[in-house]
Amino acid sequence: MGRMRKNTHMVLVENVRIGGNAPVVVQSMTNTDTADVAATVAQIIDLAKAGSELVRITVNNDESAAAVGRIRQELDALDIDVPLVGDFHFNGHRLLEKYPDCATGLAKYRINPGNVGSGEKRDEQFNAMIEMAARHGKAVRIGVNWGSLDKQLVARMMDENAHSANPRDADQMTREIMVASALESAARAQAAGLPAERIVLSCKMSGVQDLIAVYRMLSERCDYALHLGLTEAGMGTKGVVASTAALSVLLQEGIGDTIRVSLTPEPGGSRTTEVKVAQQILQALELRSFTPQVIACPGCGRTTSTYFQQLAQDIQDYLDASMPRWRSQYPGVEQMSVAVMGCVVNGPGESKHANIGISLPGTGEQPAAPVYVDGVKTVTLKGEGIAAEFQQIVETYVQEHYS
């Protein structure tokens, strides 16, 4: 799997490589009160087990900063080695200095150049955080957000644009300011002693076309590793579709080294959904493989029975439940494809294209389900035990082909 990647600096965040020739990294963020150590540790574990390779936590006050060291210790005791990223706004310079365990327990600091201070304090406080990162060998993400742009930079660039012979419109200027904020901040970070190999940039916007445009500009003007994400993506299908639309265009163009899907969870919903969506984006683009894929038809008038839908769900659940065991025992299994089809129209053909496929009988068809393994029909299943028998065929295939 691969794509035409834009060459970027390789950034090492503990055991995770970002940029260069490394695979695109999946990130997520907790929504617990970081000061609640037990709740935060539990959510980090859930996110890490779901496949998040970096987890960002809010560090916004003394209590949360004081908790970071204990959170890291508890995770280490449980052999959860996922690197933690501290999300700082307004007071990060003070918290990192006051709480040494926070400064050392985090693998990366996220700094928003629009929220580090104003006037003379801006550069002073920004440099303090950069110097702390350099001292401890930490990476930094300079994360620009269009909801919190540096007011001084906005005023300066808007004034320059107003006096230009060919002034740009407001949308164009917002994008220019975003890119300028990221690049000027990165230059300041390097001047303060942080090498380019420890800098990741992001320019997050909530509009799909805006995000695509600003990252195209950013990627043309620098070689820093880039973090992608549509900020405030929203809830449910809206958030999933918008994030997928924006990130897929950029990733296909070779732009982006790490991604996060910023979904608002449904009431009672799991935070891990954003991890699964990010993985599916990368897997659909054939950039990475995380779990075997179930190919299943949507159903039509030929498939008035819902049996094949239930079987498809059972197979997906079985694959998901088996992956923790398979991942360690059977390398490469994540690239396996399984087809569960509902009638004779596309069933046999689609089943032949998958590693393992089953073609269930549609309405009025003979009550038999042929199974294909690597394109060859091997058996026809009948009766009430089709699901269990098919799962055993899958298990046997995994053991024989990926050991």
Side-chain angles (χ1 to χ4, degrees), residues 2 5 7 15 17 19 46 58 75 94 111 113 186 197 253 255 290 319 325 337 353-354 389 400:
R5 293 284 295 278
N7 186 42
N15 59 331
R17 297 180 302 150
D46 286 344
T58 298
L75 292 170
R94 183 183 66 81
I111 305 174
E197 291 76 15
E253 294 180 5
I255 299 170
F290 297 95
L319 295 175
R325 171 173 57 88
S337 61
H353 289 307
E389 291 179 52
E400 293 178 350

Side-chain angles (χ1 to χ4, degrees), residues 61-79:
N61 53 33
D62 289 83
E63 292 76 16
S64 61
V68 170
R70 286 181 290 150
I71 291 169
R72 183 70 269 170
Q73 289 176 354
E74 292 200 17
L75 292 170
D76 290 342
L78 296 168
D79 292 324

Side-chain angles (χ1 to χ4, degrees), residues 184-247:
E184 289 183 13
S185 298
R188 286 203 301 272
Q190 287 195 249
L194 193 68
E197 291 76 15
R198 291 196 177 277
I199 297 174
V200 179
L201 300 185
S202 68
C203 287
K204 289 194 172 183
M205 310 181 83
S206 58
V208 171
Q209 296 296 345
D210 289 313
L211 191 82
I212 293 170
V214 81
Y215 270 97
R216 283 173 173 166
M217 292 166 57
L218 187 61
S219 68
E220 288 175 357
R221 300 181 192 181
C222 75
D223 292 320
Y224 295 107
L226 301 181
H227 169 74
L228 304 185
L230 188 74
T231 191
E232 287 90 40
M235 298 181 70
T237 55
K238 184 269 180 186
V240 172
V241 172
S243 292
T244 302
L247 271 57

Side-chain angles (χ1 to χ4, degrees), residues 123-342:
D123 289 349
E124 176 186 335
Q125 292 172 178
F126 178 85
N127 287 347
M129 297 184 72
I130 295 299
E131 289 164 6
M132 187 69 72
R135 185 189 314 167
H136 294 294
K138 305 299 183 180
V140 168
R141 171 157 74 91
I142 296 173
V144 181
N145 193 302
W146 75 341
S148 51
L149 283 170
D150 183 336
K151 293 180 177 60
Q152 289 175 286
L153 180 64
V154 172
R156 187 193 86 204
M157 292 188 66
M158 285 297 190
D159 185 61
E160 292 172 354
N161 184 60
H163 291 88
S164 170
N166 297 295
R168 301 179 180 183
D169 64 31
D171 287 342
Q172 290 175 316
M173 281 308 301
T174 298
R175 296 167 183 172
E176 284 288 345
I177 293 168
M178 295 279 290
V179 172
S181 179
L183 295 180
E184 289 183 13
S185 298
R188 286 203 301 272
Q190 287 195 249
L194 193 68
E197 291 76 15
R198 291 196 177 277
I199 297 174
V200 179
L201 300 185
S202 68
C203 287
K204 289 194 172 183
M205 310 181 83
S206 58
V208 171
Q209 296 296 345
D210 289 313
L211 191 82
I212 293 170
V214 81
Y215 270 97
R216 283 173 173 166
M217 292 166 57
L218 187 61
S219 68
E220 288 175 357
R221 300 181 192 181
C222 75
D223 292 320
Y224 295 107
L226 301 181
H227 169 74
L228 304 185
L230 188 74
T231 191
E232 287 90 40
M235 298 181 70
T237 55
K238 184 269 180 186
V240 172
V241 172
S243 292
T244 302
L247 271 57
S248 294
V249 170
L250 293 167
L251 290 167
Q252 189 67 17
E253 294 180 5
I255 299 170
D257 303 288
T258 172
I259 65 172
R260 182 198 171 199
V261 176
S262 301
L263 297 179
T264 304
E266 302 283 356
S270 173
R271 192 69 166 177
T272 61
T273 300
E274 67 177 50
V275 179
K276 296 174 183 177
V277 173
Q279 290 178 330
Q280 286 296 328
I281 291 171
L282 294 175
Q283 188 141 345
L285 292 172
E286 298 185 359
L287 298 179
R288 292 187 65 181
S289 293
F290 297 95
T291 186
Q293 295 293 284
V294 174
I295 302 160
C297 68
C300 66
R302 289 177 174 269
T303 55
T304 52
S305 167
T306 60
Y307 183 77
F308 86 94
Q309 298 171 358
Q310 186 60 54
L311 180 58
Q313 184 62 60
D314 290 345
I315 290 297
Q316 186 66 68
D317 291 344
Y318 166 73
L319 295 175
D320 291 343
S322 300
M323 272 307 293
R325 171 173 57 88
W326 285 350
R327 188 175 289 111
S328 60
Q329 296 180 5
Y330 306 110
V333 68
E334 66 276 3
Q335 298 183 33
M336 179 176 68
S337 61
V338 179
V340 180
M341 303 301 293

